[in-house]
Amino acid sequence: DGHHSDGARLLYRDTVAKIARGEVLGVREEGIRLRDFVERKYWPTIRPALSLGEQKRARGILDTQILPRLGGLKLVGLRREEVERWQADRRERVSGSTANKELMRLGHLLNRAVAWGYLKSNPARGIERAKEAPHRARYLTPEERDKLLNGADVTVKAKDDRAWTTRQAPSPTLWLYILAALQTGARRGELLNLRWADVDMKARRLTFRVTKNGDARTVPMTDTLHETLQALPRPLDAEAHVFPERDPQVLTRSFARLVERLGLKNLRFHDLRHDAASTLTMAGVPQRTVMAILGHRDPRMTMRYQHVSPEHLREAVRALDGAGREALRPGSSGT
């Protein structure tokens, strides 16, 4: 009965073709495993849109967490329960914000799968996020700011109790980065990537093109920064970097060494950005303006500096006071 098996074979082949076209479950390539989807479809499509730092972070989450745990599963076989179990495991091991970043990466990946027709719905959708510790908003005292920029005399003690004083100060390169971070609120990577083409000395503004969220932004230059950049030798090549080019890790390490030698506690390079944000907020700059200078997309990012500015609340309450006085004028029925 050869013709039976022929028919079966044809039917089978037809069904396989239909599955590939997504005509059975209504999705494309419904046998595709999560790992293949990531390597063949997802990663090649999203990678070009990410900065190098973002690529490294995203790839790190994929390679160390998502793929080892879920990569072997069929995309259409991924169940919400498995995602929740994975998240529960992660929350026992890492901070809430780390677990949330991993969940967001998986969510993004599955959303793309839905958008491109490989999945009917996203099983990770609506999973409660972990509670995150409040973000640190470390800012500087005027003394700390002075030490970082101008250096300070530090007493060094030897094992035999002899002591002497040495001057600790940032190298000229590190000094430039510290000043620029404090005067622009820019991120480390944004300063590392700044090119002379993005510096408009006449209009006194800088444009950060390579930013964390991909939106370029333009920030006016302070007089101090303007003078500092004016004093730098300006190369003919407009694509040359403004600040001596270096590895982000090298910058972070040399900053850490300086902070340690100056005896400043718990201070990271990124805190210079927080300091700029706090300084603006304390000066009564409106939140929308602070958002624009820092390049925040989400107002909640800017909100976390509000506690440094009780002044704007005091101003607000004066309005209530005025209305209250109006009502309590002699002759009104207040006691």
Side-chain angles (χ1 to χ4, degrees), residues 21-177:
R21 289 199 301 270
E23 288 166 17
V24 177
L25 280 182
V27 296
R28 298 163 66 180
E29 295 187 46
E30 60 196 40
I32 194 170
R33 298 197 183 274
L34 191 110
R35 178 173 285 106
D36 294 334
F37 174 75
V38 167
E39 303 304 359
R40 299 206 332 252
K41 319 283 180 185
Y42 177 69
W43 188 246
T45 311
I46 68 149
R47 191 182 62 104
L50 302 176
S51 72
L52 282 174
E54 290 280 282
Q55 285 179 31
K56 228 158 116 183
R57 281 192 286 273
R59 206 56 243 203
I61 292 174
L62 289 168
D63 291 338
T64 62
Q65 305 307 328
I66 294 175
L67 293 177
R69 175 87 183 221
L70 307 168
L73 296 171
K74 286 186 179 171
L75 198 50
V76 291
L78 180 59
R79 300 279 168 264
R80 182 187 177 110
E81 183 188 347
E82 292 181 80
V83 178
E84 290 193 358
R85 202 174 299 140
W86 167 60
Q87 274 295 290
D89 282 355
R90 293 302 289 153
R91 287 173 195 189
E92 283 178 8
R93 295 201 176 99
V94 295
S95 72
S97 76
T98 298
N100 287 344
K101 286 191 185 96
E102 294 171 3
L103 181 61
M104 278 162 68
R105 178 54 57 196
L106 179 67
H108 186 263
L109 183 168
L110 297 173
N111 275 337
R112 296 330 298 145
V114 172
W116 301 336
Y118 291 90
L119 257 186
K120 280 272 193 252
S121 64
N122 177 349
R125 203 172 156 196
I127 291 179
E128 282 287 310
R129 289 202 191 169
K131 286 269 180 287
E132 295 195 18
H135 282 279
R136 46 187 276 146
R138 162 87 160 88
Y139 28 95
L140 304 170
T141 63
E143 298 80 57
E144 288 178 320
R145 218 173 280 130
D146 178 61
K147 279 184 181 175
L148 277 178
L149 286 167
N150 303 317
D153 289 329
V154 178
T155 304
V156 180
K157 254 191 159 161
K159 288 207 173 73
D160 59 6
D161 277 355
R162 282 181 310 153
W164 64 93
T165 303
T166 73
R167 183 80 186 161
Q168 294 293 347
S171 69
T173 297
L174 184 55
W175 183 87
L176 268 176
Y177 277 107

Side-chain angles (χ1 to χ4, degrees), residues 148-320:
L148 277 178
L149 286 167
N150 303 317
D153 289 329
V154 178
T155 304
V156 180
K157 254 191 159 161
K159 288 207 173 73
D160 59 6
D161 277 355
R162 282 181 310 153
W164 64 93
T165 303
T166 73
R167 183 80 186 161
Q168 294 293 347
S171 69
T173 297
L174 184 55
W175 183 87
L176 268 176
Y177 277 107
I178 292 171
L179 179 79
L182 288 169
Q183 300 270 299
T184 61
R187 300 176 182 92
R188 179 186 71 178
E190 293 166 350
L191 296 170
L192 285 161
N193 284 302
L194 187 68
R195 298 171 193 277
W196 281 107
D198 306 326
V199 176
D200 186 336
M201 287 309 252
K202 271 204 199 66
R204 293 179 171 243
R205 53 180 185 228
L206 302 173
T207 301
F208 297 109
R209 299 193 190 285
V210 183
T211 66
K212 190 173 162 190
N213 58 23
D215 296 335
R217 74 175 183 286
T218 300
V219 176
M221 251 182 268
T222 61
D223 291 347
T224 310
L225 189 58
H226 188 260
E227 278 165 36
T228 305
L229 294 184
Q230 200 118 48
L232 290 178
R234 185 164 184 158
L236 291 171
D237 178 11
E239 283 307 303
H241 288 81
V242 175
F243 303 114
E245 205 181 334
R246 37 183 2 185
D247 184 305
Q249 294 306 319
V250 172
L251 177 61
T252 299
R253 279 198 295 271
S254 53
F255 184 78
R257 272 197 302 273
L258 175 69
V259 163
E260 192 181 351
R261 290 199 301 254
L262 289 171
L264 304 177
K265 295 276 175 278
N266 184 22
L267 189 64
R268 301 187 305 219
F269 189 81
H270 196 76
D271 294 325
L272 304 179
R273 175 169 162 84
H274 291 310
D275 185 64
S278 306
T279 304
L280 291 167
T281 307
M282 282 190 261
V285 174
Q287 194 184 329
R288 287 213 70 87
T289 311
V290 178
M291 257 182 96
I293 290 173
L294 294 181
H296 283 159
R297 270 187 192 167
D298 184 343
R300 283 174 306 192
M301 299 287 283
T302 320
M303 277 297 287
R304 62 181 185 211
Y305 301 105
Q306 290 301 355
H307 67 280
V308 297
S309 174
E311 231 2 85
H312 69 295
L313 296 179
R314 215 165 280 137
E315 279 299 309
V317 177
R318 283 196 191 115
L320 298 176

